[in-house]
Amino acid sequence: MTHEAAGVPTTRNDDDRQDDDRQDQDVQDQGSQDQDRNRQDQDRQDERSGRPDGTAPPAGAPADGADGGSAEQPRPEARLAHAVRVAEQALIEFEIAVETFRVEVENFSRLHHQRLGPMYARLDELDAQIAEARAARTGDPEDLRKAQEARAVVMPMPGVDELFHDWMDSDGLSPEASAMLTEQPVRPPKRVRPTEEARKLYRELARKAHPDLAQDEEERARRDEFITRVNAAYGRGDEELLKELAQEWAAGPAAPEAELGEADELYARLNWLTQRKELLTVLAQELEQSAIGAMLRMAPDDPDHLLEEIADQLLGEVSQREAELAALVQ
C-alpha cells in the first residue's frame, strides 16, 4: 500500500498546508494593519473636530474640513473687545439703578418737606407752648430752662437742613436755583416713584443715549446734554416729555458704530469703566445710608404710601399735643 492509499499526507501536502496557513496569516495581519490605520485616521479626525472620545458632532454641524479647514480661534483683541462691550452694558444698567434710586431719594425729600414740613413745625410750636405753660404753672427753674430750649428750636425747624439736604438735583443745584438759571418754573414731583411707563421709557432712553457709549468728545457732549433732559423729565415723572425725547432721539443722528482699538486702548477703556463703577458704588452707598435712603428701605415697594403713613402718624401726634396744651392752660 502506498502512502497516498493509506491517506497519510505527503510532504507536498504539508508544504501546501503551510503555504495556506501563511496566506491566512498574511490576510489576518493585513486586516489588522488596515484596522489600525482606520483607527488612527479616526483619531486624527476626532482630534481636529475637538472630540477625542469619538462622539458624533452635533446635529447640523458642518463636517470636518467642509469649510476648507478647522475654524480659527478669535484674536485676543476680539475677545477683549467683547469684554469691553459687556462691561459697558453692565455699567449702564448699574447707572440706571443708581439714578432711579437717586430720583426716589430726591423726590421723597421734596415731598416729605412740602407735605409734612408744616406738621413738624406745628409739633415744635406745640411742644414750646406746652413747656412754657408748664413752666408758668410751676415756676420751677428746670421747667423754665426746658421752655427756653423748646422755644429756641421752633425756628428754624430742627434737623430739616441735614435731613433733606435742600433736595439737590443731579447737578448739585436746588430746584429754585436751577429755575433761576433756566428761567423755568419749579415743578415739584407728583409722587416719590414715577409710574411704570415713565420708568420703562427712562430705561430705554438711558440704554440708547448713555454718554458712556460715546466714541468721541463731540458725541459725548451731545449725549450729556440729552441725558440731562431725560433725567429731569424722569425725576418729575413726566411721561409725555419722555415720549417726546424718545422721538427726538430716534430722529437724531444715528449712533456711530463702536470702533474699538487694539489691546492698549481696550485695556484703558476697561480701566475707565472699572473706575466709573467704583465711583457709582460710593454714590449708591451714600444714598442708601442717608436718612431718606433708610426711610425708603422701610417701604421698597410703595414709598408713596410711606408718606401717607407718616402724615397720619404726625396728625395723631398733633392732636395729642393740642389736647395736652388745652389741659395745661385751663
Side-chain angles (χ1 to χ4, degrees):
M1 181 182 294
T2 65
H3 289 291
E4 291 180 358
V8 177
T10 62
T11 304
R12 181 182 58 82
N13 289 334
D14 289 336
D15 292 339
D16 291 341
R17 189 170 64 182
Q18 292 174 1
D19 290 337
D20 292 338
D21 291 340
R22 281 193 297 271
Q23 290 175 1
D24 293 339
Q25 185 64 41
D26 290 339
V27 170
Q28 293 176 2
D29 292 342
Q30 183 64 36
S32 298
Q33 293 174 3
D34 290 342
Q35 291 178 356
D36 291 339
R37 281 195 295 271
N38 289 337
R39 281 196 295 270
Q40 292 173 0
D41 291 341
Q42 184 63 44
D43 291 341
R44 284 193 291 271
Q45 291 177 2
D46 290 340
E47 290 174 359
R48 287 196 299 272
S49 63
R51 297 184 301 276
D53 59 350
T55 57
D64 185 57
D67 58 352
S70 58
E72 294 183 1
Q73 293 294 325
R75 296 169 58 243
E77 289 79 2
R79 293 196 297 271
L80 186 56
H82 176 71
V84 168
R85 286 190 290 271
V86 170
E88 286 175 342
Q89 292 303 315
L91 179 64
I92 288 173
E93 294 299 323
F94 186 45
E95 288 202 41
I96 289 174
V98 173
E99 178 63 17
T100 53
F101 186 62
R102 188 198 65 77
V103 165
E104 291 184 12
V105 169
E106 179 180 313
N107 287 350
F108 193 96
S109 298
R110 296 173 66 179
L111 292 173
H112 191 285
H113 184 63
Q114 292 168 359
R115 296 179 186 177
L116 307 183
M119 295 185 189
Y120 285 118
R122 177 61 177 161
L123 283 172
D124 287 339
E125 177 62 29
L126 287 170
D127 285 340
Q129 291 181 14
I130 290 171
E132 289 168 348
R134 184 177 291 113
R137 173 175 290 188
T138 65
D140 186 276
E142 181 64 16
D143 288 340
L144 290 171
R145 184 187 64 79
K146 290 180 179 179
Q148 292 174 350
E149 290 180 352
R151 177 55 61 186
V153 299
V154 170
M155 292 299 294
M157 292 169 55
V160 169
D161 291 340
E162 180 181 356
L163 179 62
F164 301 113
H165 305 288
D166 201 24
W167 28 285
M168 296 292 184
D169 62 13
S170 57
D171 294 325
L173 297 174
S174 68
E176 286 81 359
S178 179
M180 286 189 294
L181 292 174
T182 60
E183 298 183 355
Q184 296 293 325
V186 176
R187 287 190 288 173
K190 297 179 181 179
R191 48 187 291 174
V192 175
R193 178 171 293 170
T195 64
E196 284 302 316
E197 179 63 20
R199 288 157 66 86
K200 178 182 177 183
L201 289 167
Y202 168 71
R203 289 190 178 100
E204 290 176 351
L205 282 170
R207 292 180 182 121
K208 293 176 182 177
H210 201 282
D212 288 350
L213 296 175
Q215 299 301 311
D216 55 57
E217 290 304 318
E218 182 179 354
E219 177 66 11
R220 173 172 286 277
R222 183 176 79 92
R223 288 173 177 264
D224 277 334
E225 186 275 334
F226 182 80
I227 211 69
T228 297
R229 289 188 284 145
V230 170
N231 288 341
Y234 176 70
R236 295 191 298 269
D238 195 334
E239 290 183 25
E240 293 304 317
L241 181 54
L242 287 170
K243 291 177 182 177
E244 293 176 7
L245 290 169
Q247 294 175 354
E248 177 184 333
W249 184 260
E257 291 292 331
E259 296 180 359
L260 297 174
E262 292 300 316
D264 289 342
E265 294 181 8
L266 293 172
Y267 279 121
R269 178 66 171 165
L270 275 178
N271 184 56
W272 183 88
L273 292 169
T274 301
Q275 293 177 351
R276 176 67 175 167
K277 184 177 180 181
E278 291 174 353
L279 291 174
L280 284 172
T281 300
V282 173
L283 174 59
Q285 291 174 346
E286 291 176 351
L287 288 170
E288 291 177 354
Q289 294 170 3
S290 66
I292 297 299
M295 295 176 73
L296 285 175
R297 287 199 300 273
M298 297 168 57
D301 296 329
D302 192 356
D304 289 280
H305 183 64
L306 177 60
L307 276 177
E308 297 174 2
E309 291 182 346
I310 296 174
D312 290 341
Q313 179 181 349
L314 290 176
L315 285 174
E317 293 181 11
V318 167
S319 297
Q320 292 176 0
R321 298 289 204 286
E322 288 176 342
E324 184 178 355
L325 178 62
L328 285 172
V329 297
Q330 283 181 351

